Amino acid sequence: MALHLLEDWCKGMNINPRNCILVTGVPEPFDEGAIEPILRVSTEYLSKCKMRGRMFVREEGAFAVLCELPSAVEPLQVPGTIAVEDGEWTVITTGSQPSPVPASDVAFLKKMSAFLGKEGKTLADMPGLLGLDPGVPQRESAPSPDEWVKALGQALEKVMPPHPESSPYRKLRLFSGGPTPIPGEEAFEPWLEHTTEMLQEWAVPDAEKRRRLVECLRGPALDVIRTLKLSNPGVKVKDCLEALDHAFGRTEGSDDVYCKFLNARQQKGEKVSAYIQRLEKLLQRAIMRGAVAVGQMDRTRLAQIVRGIQYQNPILLHLRLRERQDNPPSYSQLIKEVREEEERQAAGEVWEEEVTILIANETRRD
């Protein structure tokens, strides 16, 4: 009934119903001049609405008010009711009525609307999220629920990581820890180093990392993790690696490992990037031994780099590493910046070597 009234009223006034809202339940004695200001202050989205007329609805014993917005109405942006002093008014849009959209899609729309709200976004931000040109004029008609489902699905693909089971990954190397190595098995130290690096790179939940770790273990090494999971089914990957290190790694104390880390210095002729990579291995071992807290990893790394790099190294100066110790970069960001700076400096040196200076004598003297 209300939707038909909205459509018929707009057709009679020759205006687009998708740009309009119908407000019902307005009491008869209510001041007509106060209706539009109340709607405008009720929500920012209606701040530019313009009242086009009102009509008494006999069945409801109240007035219905037609208002127009500058552009197509987004149904999810419009409140279903507006609270007033003597009760509440109902707001109707062309997208307010039930549609043939499946219930699963409706639930998806609600969840996505809540998701965008938590991220500080609204449906008005959708063109930017989808990579569309914000300068394109707004379409005359509001998108249908089916179109919103498709658009929000595309946005999810951009902002949400893929499910770990749906993306291929390079499996970890095998390790058993048994007295007789299995074919292709390497020593524990290089295996641990490679495995730690791979697990850090994977942007998947910790449970998935643990599953992939268990997948590559055999024999005594697998028994270590099985025993650990009996006492703590949700054990973290960090604790699994630490248990394996205690069982098969070198018997070094936390103080010894941390001392090696602090004594690591850039060697003569060694690139800064190579030094950082070598230092990272020592840092990871110190973390596994409990000598360095994970939360202090970036700060500890940068502090040692500043101490260990050769004095007045141009990379240290150009990247302002000393000044960034209060807000240190992550390992991936740091190594990226260092390698880019090394390439830039190397290109500058080549350029200097290839420059030829020509001198011409324009005088009459020798």
Side-chain angles (χ1 to χ4, degrees), residues 60-341:
E60 297 182 2
F63 279 93
V65 178
L66 180 67
C67 295
E68 184 179 11
L69 274 72
S71 58
V73 177
E74 295 181 5
L76 295 179
Q77 295 277 37
V78 179
T81 59
I82 295 177
V84 291
E85 184 177 352
D86 297 330
E88 63 179 20
W89 301 342
T90 302
V91 183
I92 306 296
T93 69
T94 55
S96 300
Q97 301 301 310
S99 66
V101 179
S104 60
D105 289 347
V106 175
F108 172 76
L109 280 171
K110 292 180 179 180
K111 291 179 180 179
M112 277 307 305
S113 181
F115 168 76
L116 290 172
K118 291 180 180 179
E119 296 296 321
K121 302 292 183 182
T122 65
L123 294 177
D125 299 312
M126 288 301 298
L129 292 173
L130 298 176
L132 302 178
D133 184 1
V136 175
Q138 195 167 17
R139 55 191 294 179
E140 293 183 359
S141 61
S144 67
D146 288 327
E147 291 174 316
W148 274 123
V149 170
K150 181 179 179 180
L152 290 172
Q154 293 173 348
L156 265 182
E157 293 178 358
K158 290 177 176 289
V159 301
M160 299 295 286
H163 192 276
E165 295 293 343
S166 63
S167 56
Y169 66 93
R170 188 165 50 131
K171 290 188 176 182
L172 297 171
R173 298 170 185 170
L174 295 177
F175 179 75
S176 69
T180 304
I182 60 178
E185 181 180 355
E186 58 186 352
F188 177 75
E189 299 299 334
W191 175 87
L192 179 64
E193 178 184 322
H194 171 264
T195 301
T196 302
E197 291 177 358
M198 293 294 293
L199 291 173
Q200 287 177 340
E201 291 177 4
W202 286 332
V204 295
D206 198 77
E208 174 63 17
K209 291 183 180 182
R210 185 179 64 242
R211 187 190 69 79
R212 296 181 185 182
L213 174 63
V214 172
E215 187 180 68
C216 77
L217 298 177
R218 303 289 188 274
L222 182 59
D223 293 337
V224 170
I225 303 305
R226 284 174 175 169
T227 303
L228 198 61
K229 291 178 66 177
L230 287 176
S231 58
N232 182 10
V235 62
K236 294 185 177 299
V237 169
K238 173 182 173 296
D239 297 328
C240 293
L241 294 177
E242 186 175 342
L244 291 171
D245 189 28
H246 287 315
F248 305 104
R250 290 181 297 212
T251 56
E252 295 177 307
S254 59
D255 293 340
D256 296 333
V257 174
Y258 190 51
C259 185
K260 288 184 178 181
F261 170 76
L262 293 178
N263 288 330
R265 296 289 189 271
Q266 182 187 11
Q267 299 173 356
K268 186 176 182 180
E270 183 181 28
K271 287 186 175 182
V272 175
S273 59
Y275 167 63
I276 293 177
Q277 291 169 344
R278 179 166 59 86
L279 187 68
E280 186 66 16
K281 298 174 183 178
L282 298 174
L283 177 59
Q284 292 301 324
R285 179 164 290 278
I287 292 174
M288 294 181 62
R289 291 295 183 184
V292 177
V294 176
Q296 295 295 316
M297 177 172 56
D298 294 338
R299 188 183 298 272
T300 304
R301 178 192 302 111
L302 186 57
Q304 181 57 30
I305 290 172
V306 170
R307 286 192 298 265
I309 287 183
Q310 293 176 358
Y311 183 68
Q312 294 298 320
N313 187 290
I315 290 182
L316 184 68
L317 301 176
H318 290 171
L319 298 183
R320 300 178 59 83
L321 296 182
R322 284 195 180 92
E323 291 79 2
R324 298 167 66 182
Q325 292 187 70
D326 289 337
N327 187 23
S330 64
Y331 172 75
S332 58
Q333 179 64 27
L334 178 62
I335 197 69
K336 176 178 178 293
E337 293 180 13
V338 169
R339 294 185 65 181
E340 288 177 350
E341 182 64 21

